[in-house]
């Protein structure tokens, strides 16, 4: 009998997902959820044909060179900046991600973070818990309105569109966006969204939500010069990736009130945070949980597992990022002797 393909699951996941994978694959799980350095991951990947990764597990040229048996990397994330996709394609390694299943949950969270930030929810709760609330005042934690305001969206993919829909249809917001490419007129009409230049977006938005993918091109897309263009009353929400915002420049802008407030779910160098962000009150900080509803995280894990199972049972993976490597997939999926 042919040996089952060996697959490493780099981080702890739902036990039922490990059980599903184990029906067809020899699974090396990390259910104690140790966070491995790249060297440790590389060591554990030796002899593995597949890997189940999360957004923090980097698969680059070095890892690929050290793990020639590797045939597929299935990311439990829609973002895949942890993959060197060109190097994977060159090495004939299939990459898959986990799109769609998290869109609505992430868009919900974008709104939650926007509302918490604009209406100063966490700041006021900290004040109350600290026993500082002694009287009602006309301007106590008075913030910005959401209904009727101008919602700016930078990056108009699936999640951006989910946020636009909520803003336009749920809160009567005027939606403006900037993206690499303009949406089709019928999509713009449905979303009631208007395409503008990046500079106009920065100048006009009352609330600016970042939902663009991270790449060398989007590194520090929001830094001191961009923040300076924004309204002093504006809020900035980063749901996308750390590194898109220059966190040091943002902390400074929040301190001197270049903008009013920010809500951040992702950080440069996370889980570490720029220390200045922890010192200022007008920022809502959450630990990369935008997709973290239980059904959605389960759906993301199952989609990554489905990709692995499809690949190793000779079926078409559901969400390939470099489908060109599937030419000759029959031999790619073969288990070792
Ligand atoms: C994940 C995310 O929670 O899907 C993404 O790109 O950022 C999050 O939904 C995280 O990357 C874990 O894999």
């Amino acid at each position: 009998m042919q040996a089952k393909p060996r697959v490493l699951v780099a981080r702890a996941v739902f036990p039922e997902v490990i059980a599903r994978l184990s029906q067809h694959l020899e699974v090396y799980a990390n259910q104690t959820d140790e966070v491995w350095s790249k060297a440790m991951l590389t060591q554990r990947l030796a002899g593995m044909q597949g890997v189940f990764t999360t957004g923090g597990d980097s698969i680059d040229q070095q890892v690929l060179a050290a793990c020639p048996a590797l045939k597929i990397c299935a990311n439990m994330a829609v973002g895949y900046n942890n993959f060197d996709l060109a190097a994977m394609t060159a090495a004939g390694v299939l990459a898959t991600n986990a799109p769609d299943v998290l869109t609505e949950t992430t868009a919900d969270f974008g709104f939650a973070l926007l509302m918490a930030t604009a209406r100063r929810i966490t700041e006021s709760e900290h004040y109350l818990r600290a026993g500082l609330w002694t009287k009602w005042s006309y301007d106590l934690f008075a913030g910005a309105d959401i209904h009727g305001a101008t919602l700016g969206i930078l990056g108009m993919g699936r999640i951006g569109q989910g946020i636009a829909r909520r803003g336009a249809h749920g809160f009567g917001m005027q939606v403006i966006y900037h993206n690499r490419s303009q949406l089709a007129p019928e999509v713009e009409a449905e979303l009631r969204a208007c395409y503008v230049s990046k500079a106009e977006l920065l100048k006009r938005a009352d609330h600016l939500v970042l939902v663009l993918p991270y790449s060398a091109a989007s590194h520090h897309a929001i830094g001191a010069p961009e923040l300076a263009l924004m309204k002093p009353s504006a809020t900035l929400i980063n749901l996308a990736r750390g590194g898109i915002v220059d966190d040091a420049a943002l902390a400074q802008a929040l301190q001197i009130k270049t903008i009013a407030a920010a809500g951040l779910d992702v950080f440069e160098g996370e889980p570490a945070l720029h220390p200045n962000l922890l010192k200022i009150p007008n920022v809502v900080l959450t630990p990369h949980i935008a997709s973290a509803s239980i059904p959605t995280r389960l759906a993301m894990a199952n989609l990554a597992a489905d990709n692995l199972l499809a690949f190793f049972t000779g079926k078409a993976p559901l969400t390939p990022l470099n489908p060109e490597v599937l030419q000759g997939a029959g031999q790619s999926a073969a288990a070792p002797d």
Side-chain angles (χ1 to χ4, degrees), residues 109-294:
F109 187 85
F111 245 87
L113 193 53
L114 165 52
M115 294 183 83
T117 305
R119 295 301 306 273
R120 305 174 66 180
I121 290 176
T122 55
E123 191 186 350
S124 62
E125 188 190 348
H126 289 148
Y127 170 89
L128 190 148
R129 284 180 184 274
L132 299 171
W133 189 31
T134 55
K135 58 177 184 179
W136 178 91
S137 314
Y138 77 96
D139 60 349
L140 186 65
F141 292 105
D145 269 326
I146 292 140
H147 71 275
T150 297
L151 173 62
I153 300 177
L154 186 55
M156 198 57 142
R158 290 161 285 217
I159 298 169
Q161 292 178 34
I163 291 168
R165 203 169 283 115
R166 281 160 178 75
H169 297 276
F171 290 84
M173 299 176 89
Q174 192 187 350
V175 180
I176 54 175
Y177 75 98
H178 183 73
N179 195 40
R180 272 174 304 189
S181 48
Q182 189 169 352
L183 297 175
E186 61 276 16
V187 182
E188 286 189 341
E190 188 259 313
L191 298 172
R192 297 190 208 143
C194 188
Y195 184 82
V196 296
S197 70
K198 185 177 169 188
E200 195 179 341
L201 183 81
L202 292 163
K203 285 183 200 156
R204 283 179 51 197
D206 294 312
H207 308 290
L208 177 62
V209 183
L210 309 178
V211 257
L212 64 166
Y214 181 72
S215 66
S218 63
H219 181 73
H220 286 187
I222 302 292
E226 289 77 19
L227 291 161
L229 290 178
M230 293 178 70
K231 296 178 183 177
S233 56
T235 60
L236 175 72
I237 306 299
N238 188 7
L239 277 191
R241 277 290 180 272
I244 291 175
V245 175
D246 176 346
D247 284 349
L250 175 62
Q252 162 83 356
L254 290 168
Q255 218 151 13
I256 61 175
K257 304 279 174 68
T258 307
I259 64 169
L264 307 175
D265 187 50
V266 287
F267 306 89
E268 273 189 292
E270 64 183 51
L273 265 68
H274 193 286
N276 292 353
L277 288 173
L278 293 168
K279 293 183 196 143
I280 44 185
N282 49 338
V283 59
V284 179
L285 307 167
T286 54
H288 203 147
I289 57 168
S291 65
S293 74
I294 292 167

